[in-house]
Amino acid sequence: MTSAVSSGESITLKIDDKDISCRSGETILAVARENNIDIPTLCFMEGLSVWGGCRLCLVEVAGSPKLQAACATVCTEGMNVVTASPRLKEYRKMIVEMLFAERNHVCSVCVSNGHCELQDMAVKLEIDHVRFPYRYPHLQVDNSHDRARMDHNRCILCTRCVRVCAEIEGAHTKDVKGRGVLAAIIHDLDQPWGESETCTSCGKCVNVCPTGALTHRGTAVGEMQKKTDFLPYLTLMRRTES
Amino acid sequence: MPQTITIDGVTRIEGHAKITIQLDDAGKVYDAQFHVTQFRGFEKFVQGRPLTEMPGIMARICGICPVSHLMAAAKACDDILAVQIPPTAEKLRRIMNLAQMIQSHALSFFHLSSPDLLFGMDGDPKQRNIFGLIRDHPDFARDGIMLRKFGQDIIAKLGGKKIHPAWVVPGGVNAPLTEEVQDSILKEVPAAIERIDRALDYFHQIEGRYPAEEDAFANFPTLFAGLVTADGLLEHYHGPLKFVDQDASLVAELSPADQRHYGSLIGEAVEKYSYLKFPYFKPRGYPDGIYRVGPLARLIVAERCGTRRADMELGAFRTRLGRSPQSSFHYHWARLIEILYGIEMIQRLLQFPDILNTHIRARARPNRLEGVGVSEAPRGTLIHHYKIDDNGLIQWANLIIATGHNNLAMNRGVRQVAERFVDGNKLQEGMLNRVEAVIRCFDPCLSCSTHALGQMPLRIELCKADGEVCDVLQRD
Ligand code: SF4
Ligand code: SF4
C-alpha cells in the first residue's frame, strides 16, 4: 500500500523546498504525488504491497547519509526531502540503463512497443544511449500458457506480477528464483506456466507488468496495451466490503 | 598473367557488395563475380520468438522494402494459423503491397537509374545523379519524387508509419480503413497517373538510345518466375507461382497450396564467395536452372496486367521488344509499367464496396507446425518459410529473397558487361558505371540505400596475380 496505516496525526515536512503537511505514517512517495511532485517508479504500484526493488524512487533526506526509497520511507516531522538533484537524476539514468543492458529489450520489435513503462521511463529520463555493455543473455519465451505469454527477455524483475498474483488473486503462482542477474520469475515449482496447477488464468499479472514480459498470446508487435484500472478499483471495493 | 579487378563497396553503409572481374593473360575478361559480403542472420535470431511477432521482426530486415517482408511473413503466419483472412483485410494488404512497389520502383527508376539514362553511361559523374536530374530535368525529377511520395504516403496512412508499419498482422491487419483515408488516397490517383504517363512518354524517347547496353546488360536466355492470378494476370500478393522459359512458355506452376513445397522446384546452392544463396530451378540443375524474378519476369510470366492503361503500355512494350525480352536492361520499362498498374489497381481496390468493412482480422491459434508465405516484392518473388514448436515459438526459418533468385543472373550479367566493356588493365569510369548499372537493373536490395544519392561508393582495384595493385579507381 502507498501509505502504511496513518494515525491521523498531522506532521509537516519539506519536499523540494515546498512546505507540505501530511498525516503521519504516509510515505514520501504518496505525499509527493499528492502534491504533484513527480518521483519516478517502476516496481511500485498503487494497490500492491511495497517492494522497493527498482530503486528509481530514491530521494535525498537531509541528515541521512543514505539515499532513501520514497515508496518505503515514512514521512517524519521536519523532514527535508530532495527528489530531483543532479545526483539522483544521474543514478536514475544509470538504473534504467542497467535494466536495458541486463536483458534483451528490443523495443522496435516488442509487442509492447509504444505502450511500455520502461520505454516511457527511458524517454522521461532523457536516456539516448546505454553506457554499459549489453549482456545479451540467452533467455526463453514461455508460450505454454493457453492465454498469456512470459518473455523473460523483457522482464525487469519488478515483481509486480508476483505481488498481484499472491495479494490480489490469491493464487501465488508466480515467484522469484535465483539471485542477481540469475534471478527469474517462475511459476509454481519452476515449471512451464501452462502446467501450473495454481494459476487461475485471471490475467492480472499480464496487466500489471510494466513491459512486454507478460502479454496476451497472439499479440503482434506494438499491439499489447495493459489495462491497470482494475487494481485501485478492486482494492477499493474490497476495502469498502470488509 | 591472370589479373583480378575488384569493385568494392566502401563498407561505411549497410548492404555491402563487391565485384571481382578476372582477366586472363591477354587482358580479356574470363570470369566475374558479384559478392554479397553482408550477413544479417535473421533466420538465426528469430529462433525462439513467438510466431505472432514474425511480421514485425521480419519487416526489420530492410528499411527499403519492409512492407514486402511484412507481407510474406504475415502470409506464412496465416498458413500456420490455417486461417482464411477476411476479404477486406486481403484487399488492404494488397493496397499496401502495391504502394510499396510504387515507391520502391520510383526510387529505383527515377532516383537511381534515370540519371544514367538521361546523362549517358559515360556522362560526367558529377551531374549524373539525382541532383543533376533536379537541375537539368526538374519536371521529370519532380514526377519521380512525387510518385515515390504517393506510395509512401499510402503506407503511412494505412500503417501509421512510413518505414516499419506494424499494421499487417497474422490473420489480417489490425486497423480498418477509414473513409477519410480512402478519400485522401483516391484524390491523389489522377495526379499520380498523369505523372507516370509523362514519365513513360519521356522514357519512350530515350529508351532506344542504349543499343549496346540493351545488348549486353544480362541479355541471355533464362527462365522467369513470378506470381500470377488464377487467370494468368499480373499478380503481387497471392496466386500460382509460375516458371516460364525464354519464350514465355509454361515450364512449371505451383498452386498456392503447393507453394509449401517450393523446395520441389527451387534448390538453393551456396558459393564460397558470397553470403547470398543461389536459388535455381531444381529440375534443370545448378547452374542451368538460372531464372530471373522481378518486374521484367512478372511481365513475361503474366499474360496481361489486367488494368486498362497498364495493358496498353504492356502492348507497346511487347510490340517493341517482343513477348519475352531477355535483356535485363528492360527491367526499367517494366518497372514503369508496374507503377502504372499499381496506381490503377489501388484505385480499383479502394472502390470495392467492402473496403471499409471493420472485420479485418481472423483470430486463431497455430493449427500447423509449418507455414510458407509467398508474395511479390518490388524486386521479385519473396518466400518466407517457418517451423514452430507446439507452443508457437519459431524453431526454424528460411527466407528466399528476390535478390537471391536473381543472384545467378546478376553474376552472369556482370560477366557479360565486363566482357563487353572491360578491356585491358586500365580502368575507366564508364566501365565501372556500366558494371554497376547492370546490377542496378535488378535493383538489388542490398545496396539500394547506398545508391540514394545516385552513386554507389565504389572501389575498383586492378590487381596482378601476385596481388600487386596496378590501377585503382575510387569514389566515395
Ligand atoms: S494469470 Fe492470475 S493466477 Fe495466473 S499467474 Fe497471472 S495473476 Fe497469477
Ligand atoms: S514479468 Fe513483468 S511484472 Fe513480472 S517481474 Fe517481470 S517485468 Fe515485472
Side-chain angles (χ1 to χ4, degrees), chain A residues 150 155-161 185 209-211 213-214:
Chain A
M150 164 100 215
C155 175
I156 58 170
L157 292 166
C158 67
T159 74
R160 284 189 193 177
C161 57
I185 296 296
C209 175
T211 70
L214 290 171

Side-chain angles (χ1 to χ4, degrees), chain B residues 14-32:
Chain B
E14 186 181 275
H16 312 311
K18 184 173 84 167
I19 295 166
T20 314
I21 302 166
Q22 278 136 29
L23 304 179
D24 62 15
D25 293 344
K28 295 267 183 224
V29 172
Y30 89 97
D31 202 4

Side-chain angles (χ1 to χ4, degrees), chain B residues 256-454:
Chain B
D258 286 343
Q259 282 162 16
R260 276 185 217 128
H261 314 296
Y262 66 91
S264 64
L265 292 186
I266 300 172
E268 291 182 85
V270 178
E271 293 278 7
K272 278 204 288 287
Y273 61 81
S274 181
Y275 275 126
L276 190 60
K277 286 181 277 190
F278 289 79
Y280 60 99
F281 182 67
K282 231 182 202 170
R284 298 218 172 158
Y286 182 80
D288 294 341
I290 178 173
Y291 63 93
R292 280 177 272 184
V293 299
L296 179 66
R298 285 192 289 256
L299 291 187
I300 292 174
V301 164
E303 291 306 325
R304 297 186 288 114
C305 295
T307 60
R308 191 177 62 87
R309 287 162 185 273
D311 271 329
M312 276 162 52
E313 186 61 28
L314 181 63
F317 175 87
R318 286 181 179 166
T319 309
R320 153 96 167 78
L321 304 169
R323 176 67 180 82
S324 56
Q326 301 293 310
S327 170
S328 296
F329 186 76
H330 304 305
Y331 269 91
H332 296 312
W333 195 349
R335 237 165 242 136
L336 294 177
I337 296 174
E338 282 202 329
I339 292 180
L340 177 56
Y341 165 85
I343 301 168
E344 288 183 290
M345 206 51 168
I346 286 174
Q347 183 179 32
R348 185 186 291 177
L349 287 163
L350 282 172
Q351 285 165 341
F352 271 94
D354 67 344
I355 197 72
L356 297 172
N357 208 323
T358 51
H359 177 47
I360 39 145
R361 185 168 186 175
R363 301 257 181 192
R365 296 292 175 77
N367 287 301
R368 286 194 194 101
L369 293 179
E370 193 172 346
V372 171
V374 181
S375 71
E376 287 289 331
R379 297 162 182 83
T381 313
L382 178 61
I383 302 174
H384 280 216
H385 181 189
Y386 311 147
K387 291 182 190 168
I388 57 166
D389 67 9
D390 289 334
N391 287 325
L393 300 177
I394 297 287
Q395 292 299 293
W396 176 92
N398 186 35
L399 317 177
I400 306 185
I401 58 163
T403 303
H405 298 288
N406 283 333
N407 204 1
L408 271 175
M410 273 191 294
N411 271 279
R412 206 181 281 182
V414 167
R415 185 162 104 203
Q416 190 178 35
V417 171
E419 276 164 4
R420 177 72 70 95
F421 297 102
V422 177
D423 195 7
N425 53 13
K426 190 86 187 101
L427 297 166
Q428 279 150 21
E429 163 65 26
M431 183 279 285
L432 180 147
N433 191 45
R434 282 187 179 83
V435 169
E436 193 189 329
V438 68
I439 297 285
R440 212 179 271 166
C441 283
F442 292 95
D443 188 21
C445 185
L446 44 123
S447 44
C448 37
S449 51
T450 66
H451 281 203
L453 297 179

Side-chain angles (χ1 to χ4, degrees), chain A residues 108-111 113 139-147 149 151 153-154 217-223, chain B residues 48-57 60 161 166 168-170 174 361 363 365-366 390-393:
Chain A
S108 63
V109 297
C110 178
V111 287
N113 191 14
L139 296 170
Q140 299 299 313
V141 178
D142 183 344
N143 215 21
S144 60
H145 192 278
D146 198 40
R147 293 166 64 177
R149 172 200 299 160
D151 184 349
N153 292 284
R154 315 279 196 253
R217 260 186 89 143
T219 43
V221 171
E223 281 192 329
Chain B
R49 296 308 307 172
L51 176 71
T52 40
E53 288 182 3
M54 290 302 275
I57 295 179
R60 300 275 155 178
K161 267 206 245 175
V168 178
V169 292
N174 71 11
R361 185 168 186 175
R363 301 257 181 192
R365 296 292 175 77
D390 289 334
N391 287 325
L393 300 177

